[in-house]
Amino acid sequence: MNEMNRPDAWLACTLAGLRAVEDARIDEAASFWRDSCAFADNLPDEDPRRAAALSNLGLGELVASRRTQAIAALSAARTQWRNVEAWIQRVDIPSTASSSMFHFLLAANHPDVLTGLRRKKYLTLCAGAAALTESIYDQVCADSAEPDHALLRAQAIQAAFGEDATGTRVLVDLTGASPARRVRIVKSTEAQWRSVAKNTVVEMRPLIDAAYLTVGLKPDSGDGARPHRD
């Protein structure tokens, strides 16, 4: 198999970027996520990992003060998440190997009901990951989202990952206009991803990997600083 087509290469680069951003090695993180995008470009058009790669790259470019590149990556990620949503709406979702007897009986007697529940779960996860991307996009554009939009995004993230599901990582914010460097909180769901992924059928693993490894950025605390415009 061509090296550029290996999904495990996408995963390795994605995780390496996360490790780098945790250590505030911003340029290195962006480089890893750029490589992740290169691998993702060789995946199917609707593969969720393409959206995650672009979103993470946009975050890396943002905190490295490369606003133009960040906007380009995040805009592409927003479009890609919409493609993923359309894919989930029509994909054939198989039963999980660990399904209970109740679920097997439900599938036998009411197959449409069980399929609908599974599809709703994956659509919720996609919406949460897309909301992470949208929140970063608002910040890189220095735009304040309408209060109702911000609330809907927060609700989508919570519905997908849980109120207390995300760990926090602190890194230096290099994009602030203030001379004093502020900090941002990067939210990672890596630990939760490992737990969920091992109980997911292989057909839906790309979505699980993409959603849980899309890194979120907590909004500024209101100090008035805005991203630098290059």
Side-chain angles (χ1 to χ4, degrees):
M1 181 182 294
N2 187 300
E3 288 293 311
M4 292 297 289
N5 289 329
R6 291 177 55 195
D8 58 327
W10 170 88
L11 180 59
C13 288
T14 298
L15 291 174
L18 179 57
R19 302 287 182 273
V21 84
E22 287 173 355
D23 295 335
R25 293 179 280 118
I26 306 304
D27 286 335
E28 189 174 340
S31 178
F32 279 124
W33 284 335
R34 201 171 293 113
D35 289 342
S36 178
C37 281
F39 287 115
D41 281 345
N42 292 274
L43 296 172
D45 289 344
E46 295 171 334
D47 193 299
R49 291 167 292 191
R50 294 169 67 98
L54 288 162
S55 184
N56 288 342
L57 176 60
L59 172 61
E61 300 289 17
L62 168 62
V63 296
S65 299
R66 292 187 285 266
R67 180 177 178 273
T68 300
Q69 294 91 327
I71 290 175
L74 291 165
S75 295
R78 296 168 76 204
T79 298
Q80 195 63 35
W81 282 124
R82 289 191 287 271
N83 294 340
V84 173
E85 180 183 7
W87 168 73
I88 297 171
Q89 291 282 11
R90 64 175 183 273
V91 69
D92 183 19
I93 302 175
S95 300
T96 61
S98 59
S99 292
S100 65
M101 180 58 68
F102 168 78
H103 288 101
F104 279 120
L105 292 174
L106 181 61
N109 296 306
H110 305 283
D112 292 342
V113 173
L114 187 56
T115 298
L117 290 173
R118 293 196 190 105
R119 200 175 307 280
K120 181 179 179 181
K121 177 183 72 172
Y122 291 124
L123 285 170
T124 297
L125 192 59
C126 176
L132 291 173
T133 300
E134 293 287 351
S135 296
I136 300 171
Y137 183 82
D138 287 342
Q139 292 188 63
V140 75
C141 292
D143 290 332
S144 297
E146 294 294 329
D148 56 337
H149 291 173
L151 177 60
L152 288 173
R153 287 173 189 166
Q155 290 173 338
I157 294 168
Q158 182 175 334
F161 305 111
E163 185 174 359
D164 301 317
T166 55
T168 59
R169 300 289 185 269
V170 179
L171 74 156
V172 175
D173 172 22
L174 303 180
T175 66
S178 172
R181 288 182 173 181
R182 297 172 292 114
V183 297
R184 292 181 186 269
I185 303 297
V186 170
K187 291 184 173 293
S188 167
T189 54
E190 180 187 348
Q192 191 181 11
W193 159 69
R194 294 187 184 280
S195 175
V196 174
K198 66 182 181 181
N199 293 316
T200 301
V201 292
V202 66
E203 292 86 350
M204 301 308 295
R205 269 294 299 272
L207 175 62
I208 299 301
D209 293 349
Y212 282 96
L213 296 180
T214 295
V215 182
L217 186 62
K218 183 177 179 180
D220 290 331
S221 58
D223 60 4
R226 290 296 188 187
H228 172 70
R229 296 179 180 272
D230 54 11

